[in-house]
Amino acid sequence: MELEQLFIDNKEKTIYGRYLTLESIEPLLEKMNTNNQLSIIGKSVLEKPIYKYQIGEGKIKILLWSQMHGNESTTTKGLIDFLNLLNSGSDFADKLLNRFTFYCIPMLNPDGAKLYTRLNANEIDLNRDSQNLTQPESNVLRRSYESFKPDYCYNLHDQRTIFGVGDTGKPATMSFLAPSYNQEREVNESRLKAINLISGINAVLQRYIPNQVGRFDDSFNINCIGDTFQALGATTLLFEAGHFAGDYQREETRKYVFMSLASSFMILSENDIVNNGIDNYMNIPQNKVVFYDFIYKNVKLNYDGVEKITNFAAQYKEELVENEICFNAYIVEIGDLEGHYGHFEYDAKEAKYKDEFGGFPQLNQKASFYLENSIRFVNGLIKK
């Protein structure tokens, strides 16, 4: 099956970019509600509805949830695209619907999505509330788990542009984790199923994004929902949608989320799981913080009359302004930056730095400056 064409055929064209709110997806869910698949299963802190979309009649029960962190919208887009596939009437869709029952929570944290923040309206990280269950959204998810009794849980997230695949110099476009179920990080039957399935997903993705798949850190934290569900016995997979070159709107990464979902259920439906895939799983390089959005090399700085050649880095902050996400670049590091890469790199070749504030960059300053008074950078990029 050609996954790229499958994505093109099912991509939901009415949603785009990083800012995805409940108002963005409600019409889509209602349009898909052809046979009472949609229902409200709870309310957020600010009384926004939390929806589930349930479809399929298969014996294998799949629980998926996205936007637990409100500013992590890429997997929501990919999940909506996948729901389009399930509603497409294709032979593949019929096969999945006969094999699985899908219980989807497309947006667990609608308040955080509206504010474009990781936290909920009470400024609580829902992914650290799986034990105390202090928040209404946390309780909605736990009740869903207990009533549905899933065989597999899909915990869908985004990760920042800072993550790379080990020391390869490649961005971690997609990363996965079979969460630990205990402090010793042992492998039991449910965790092994997740490991084997991730090994299969990785084998598929390597055909499309070679060396751009990472493995997330498996340190155990029972307050995290994935670790909790794994400990409760459900096979749990963590998805982390990351950066693809030039794709700050995460539209290319969205495709690989869709591919990961579709290929995982293809593997499960065909019972094509490689047994004892631990070695393949462990050979997926671990995520590593090795990237900045911008690196400027060999820049001449003037410190009180003393000239020095050095490097500095800038990073985007995603700031919500009038219902749009603005990517504003700020200087975050000055020094040799050894072992780090930039999604954008510029070799100044000892050109002299200048800005409106003085002769050298300052931390947390906007990345707008000149090199040799002739090359102008605005918000991190060269101004044509």
Side-chain angles (χ1 to χ4, degrees):
M1 183 174 294
E2 177 44 56
L3 287 172
E4 193 119 29
Q5 188 60 50
L6 197 66
F7 170 72
I8 292 168
D9 293 343
N10 293 284
K11 180 180 180 182
E12 178 52 59
K13 296 178 177 60
T14 64
I15 52 176
Y16 173 88
R18 299 294 289 276
Y19 189 49
L20 202 65
T21 65
L22 186 61
E23 291 77 14
S24 307
I25 67 168
E26 268 181 322
L28 303 175
L29 296 173
E30 289 166 0
K31 184 179 178 182
M32 293 179 194
N33 189 27
T34 55
N35 193 26
N36 296 318
Q37 300 101 324
L38 186 67
S39 60
I40 294 173
I41 52 173
K43 297 287 184 71
S44 69
V45 171
L46 299 180
E47 295 293 312
K48 294 290 185 181
I50 298 172
Y51 290 97
K52 79 162 181 179
Y53 186 87
Q54 185 167 326
I55 187 170
E57 298 178 349
K59 292 182 179 179
I60 302 174
K61 295 190 286 186
I62 311 291
L63 173 63
L64 310 95
W65 65 95
S66 185
Q67 260 175 298
M68 168 176 270
H69 295 140
N71 59 353
E72 298 180 2
S73 58
T74 309
T75 52
T76 305
K77 293 186 291 185
L79 181 56
I80 295 291
D81 300 333
F82 180 69
L83 291 180
N84 280 345
L85 165 63
L86 293 180
N87 283 284
S88 67
S90 68
D91 290 344
F92 181 45
D94 289 343
K95 181 178 182 179
L96 296 185
L97 295 174
N98 287 327
R99 182 80 167 148
F100 304 104
T101 299
F102 296 97
Y103 184 122
C104 307
I105 305 174
M107 187 175 288
L108 183 64
N109 182 6
D111 300 341
K114 185 70 173 178
L115 296 171
Y116 199 71
T117 177
R118 178 182 176 89
L119 310 176
N120 75 344
N122 286 333
E123 299 189 350
I124 298 297
D125 185 340
L126 300 178
N127 203 26
R128 300 295 183 271
D129 191 41
S130 70
Q131 294 298 303
N132 294 332
L133 298 174
T134 64
Q135 302 303 302
E137 301 91 346
S138 307
N139 281 283
V140 166
L141 182 57
R142 177 58 71 86
R143 287 196 303 269
S144 297
Y145 176 89
E146 291 175 348
S147 63
F148 186 58
K149 297 180 174 58
D151 299 295
Y152 290 84
C153 293
Y154 282 62
N155 186 10
L156 306 175
H157 289 263
D158 280 40
Q159 65 182 1
R160 296 173 60 198
T161 61
I162 60 177
F163 288 103
V165 177
D167 295 313
T168 64
K170 298 279 191 178
T173 302
M174 287 297 300
S175 296
F176 300 94
L177 174 67
S180 300
Y181 75 94
N182 64 7
Q183 201 70 46
E184 293 72 30
R185 296 187 272 189
E186 295 172 318
V187 177
N188 61 358
E189 183 181 356
S190 64
R191 190 179 184 207
L192 181 59
K193 286 181 181 178
I195 286 170
N196 291 339
L197 186 51
I198 289 169
S199 296
I201 297 169
N202 177 56
V204 172
L205 288 181
Q206 289 301 326
R207 303 201 296 264
Y208 298 93
I209 45 172
N211 302 313
Q212 288 179 233
V213 178
R215 177 170 50 86
F216 213 72
D217 174 58
D218 68 348
S219 298
F220 179 70
N221 184 348
I222 194 61
N223 297 306
C224 295
I225 194 66
D227 301 49
T228 291
F229 286 173
Q230 196 87 279
L232 289 172
T235 295
T236 302
L237 292 80
L238 171 70
F239 280 42
E240 293 278 354
H243 187 65
F244 184 92
D247 181 37
Y248 281 93
Q249 296 299 335
R250 299 269 168 102
E251 288 296 303
E252 189 71 13
T253 301
R254 164 190 192 167
K255 175 170 67 177
Y256 302 117
V257 172
F258 173 88
M259 288 181 173
S260 300
L261 291 170
S263 63
S264 75
F265 299 122
M266 191 185 311
I267 291 166
L268 282 175
S269 67
E270 295 173 357
N271 200 23
D272 194 25
I273 298 176
V274 176
N275 290 323
N276 298 316
I278 295 178
D279 288 344
N280 292 334
Y281 175 77
M282 295 304 294
N283 284 334
I284 301 172
Q286 192 161 320
N287 272 11
K288 194 172 180 182
V289 178
V290 291
F291 269 97
Y292 293 105
D293 289 319
F294 305 92
I295 287 182
Y296 310 95
K297 298 180 176 179
N298 303 310
V299 181
K300 184 184 289 184
L301 305 181
N302 188 328
Y303 286 96
D304 296 326
V306 177
E307 291 186 338
K308 178 182 178 181
I309 307 299
T310 191
N311 313 306
F312 66 94
Q315 193 72 22
Y316 278 134
K317 286 184 181 178
E318 299 160 25
E319 299 175 330
L320 180 62
V321 180
E322 296 182 352
N323 292 324
E324 289 190 10
I325 303 304
C326 298
F327 292 86
N328 294 317
Y330 295 87
I331 295 168
V332 293
E333 192 68 46
I334 304 167
D336 61 26
L337 305 181
E338 185 178 354
H340 285 82
Y341 307 93
H343 294 301
F344 170 90
E345 293 191 0
Y346 185 84
D347 187 348
K349 298 179 180 177
E350 301 189 6
K352 191 173 182 179
Y353 174 96
K354 181 182 178 182
D355 62 34
E356 61 182 283
F357 305 105
F360 54 91
Q362 303 274 1
L363 296 181
N364 300 316
Q365 176 181 300
K366 284 290 293 286
S368 297
F369 55 91
Y370 289 89
L371 292 174
E372 294 294 351
N373 292 325
S374 58
I375 303 174
R376 185 186 179 197
F377 289 78
V378 175
N379 200 31
L381 294 170
I382 296 174
K383 183 74 170 179
K384 301 288 187 179

